[in-house]
């Protein structure tokens, strides 16, 4: 993690104030003054500010392999939620950073860090999402260019942003989006007269779903994965 991000998260300082503290020589790493705000910290580095060791608060960052039939909600009176999969103790204070429909499977991120989840979900940051979709009808190769040019969706004034479509077979594709309109993947294919029959999210930004996680299983993100999603 960058030194400025670490200091801001660990102390509650704004990013600009953290920059000032670092540049003025008030921060040391392993006993040496570091004035480079983008200095990359190693897991065992000791950061000291105003003669006090600073550590990150116990924020939690989780990836989960969502099964079909589970909803991305904090509470639901009818369906099991992704938080229910963590157990009563494990889900305290967490929320979903980027929802999936009940019939969509794959990568879901959960956290208690509101700033971090905002960076992932806010349209202005353009955090990409990659999906694998199975379709009812075969696709022509020309649709790759259509997705790259943007698709006109019903009820939308503008085309979608350019999307990257990879044909895996006539009826199976990998699609990467840089935005997250309501039911966007399904609506894009519907606009071309096709229908999504199965949808699975493989990746958010540079972080891919851990292949060792079975549906319903989860694990904590590594420090590198947490940092990569807000770099």
């Amino acid at each position: 993690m960058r030194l400025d991000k670490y200091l801001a998260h660990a102390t509650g300082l704004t990013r600009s104030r953290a920059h000032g503290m670092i540049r003025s020589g008030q921060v040391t790493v392993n006993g040496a003054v570091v004035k480079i705000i983008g200095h990359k910290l190693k897991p065992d580095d000791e950061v000291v500010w105003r003669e006090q060791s600073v550590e990150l608060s116990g924020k939690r960052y989780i990836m989960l392999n969502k099964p079909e039939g589970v909803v991305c909600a904090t509470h639901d009176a009818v369906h099991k939620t992704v938080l229910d999969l963590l157990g009563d103790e494990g889900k305290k204070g967490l929320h979903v950073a980027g929802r999936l429909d009940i019939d969509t499977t794959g990568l879901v991120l959960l956290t208690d860090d509101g700033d971090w989840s905002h960076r992932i979900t806010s349209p202005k940051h353009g955090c990409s999402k990659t999906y694998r979709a199975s379709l009812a009808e075969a696709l022509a190769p020309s649709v790759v260019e259509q997705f790259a040019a943007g698709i006109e969706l019903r009820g939308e004034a503008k085309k979608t942003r350019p999307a990257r479509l990879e044909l895996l077979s006539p009826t199976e594709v990998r699609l990467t989006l840089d935005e997250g309109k309501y039911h966007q993947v399904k609506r894009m294919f519907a606009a071309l007269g096709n229908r999504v029959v199965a949808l699975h999210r493989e990746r958010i930004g540079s972080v891919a779903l851990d292949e060792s996680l079975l549906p319903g299983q989860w694990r904590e993100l590594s420090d590198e994965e947490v940092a990569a999603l807000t770099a």
Side-chain angles (χ1 to χ4, degrees):
M1 180 181 288
R2 287 168 50 114
L3 178 58
D4 58 338
K5 289 186 178 180
Y6 184 98
L7 185 63
H9 289 319
T11 63
L13 292 170
T14 64
R15 188 68 61 82
S16 61
R17 284 200 65 202
H19 289 179
M21 296 296 170
I22 295 168
R23 287 175 173 147
S24 64
Q26 297 185 49
V27 180
T28 65
V29 178
N30 300 329
V33 173
V34 175
K35 296 184 178 182
I36 301 172
I37 63 174
H39 175 81
K40 294 295 182 68
L41 294 172
K42 299 181 179 64
D44 294 329
D45 284 347
E46 181 185 29
V47 178
V48 173
W49 172 56
R50 292 181 173 176
E51 301 182 349
Q52 295 291 327
S53 180
V54 293
E55 298 181 356
L56 291 176
S57 60
K59 296 293 186 183
R60 300 187 65 200
Y61 307 92
I62 289 170
M63 73 159 59
L64 181 145
N65 186 358
K66 188 185 95 65
E68 187 174 357
V70 174
V71 297
C72 289
T74 306
H75 303 284
D76 192 282
V78 178
H79 302 98
K80 179 177 287 188
T81 73
V82 288
L83 292 179
D84 292 333
L85 297 174
L86 275 62
D88 290 339
E89 292 300 318
K91 67 183 182 182
K92 287 184 177 178
L94 296 176
H95 62 269
V96 180
R99 299 174 183 271
L100 292 177
D101 295 337
I102 189 171
D103 58 349
T104 301
T105 62
L107 177 59
V108 168
L109 300 176
L110 302 107
T111 184
D112 53 4
D113 186 339
D115 291 338
W116 185 80
S117 62
H118 177 73
R119 293 272 302 181
I120 295 168
T121 59
S122 174
K124 71 177 182 179
H125 293 297
C127 183
S128 65
K129 282 83 175 177
T130 300
Y131 300 85
R132 189 167 181 138
S134 298
L135 305 168
E137 306 291 338
L139 289 173
S142 60
V143 300
V144 174
E145 295 180 0
Q146 290 179 273
F147 274 78
I151 303 292
E152 293 184 2
L153 302 181
R154 179 179 296 179
E156 300 283 349
K158 296 180 180 180
K159 287 184 176 181
T160 63
R161 292 179 187 173
R164 297 175 291 283
L165 184 70
E166 178 186 357
L167 300 181
L168 305 177
S169 77
T171 58
E172 191 164 10
V173 301
R174 179 171 287 114
L175 176 64
T176 300
L177 307 175
D178 295 324
E179 59 184 340
K181 296 180 182 293
Y182 181 69
H183 289 170
Q184 183 168 344
V185 175
K186 296 174 182 177
R187 292 169 66 199
M188 291 175 84
F189 286 105
L192 301 181
N194 211 323
R195 181 172 58 87
V196 174
V197 296
L199 188 61
H200 179 82
R201 185 157 67 193
E202 298 181 327
R203 182 181 295 268
I204 297 176
S206 62
V207 175
L209 178 63
D210 190 328
E211 294 182 355
S212 69
L213 294 177
L214 298 175
Q217 292 185 336
W218 58 276
R219 70 163 172 81
E220 303 279 348
L221 293 178
S222 67
D223 291 343
E224 292 75 17
E225 289 169 331
V226 172
L229 284 165
T230 52

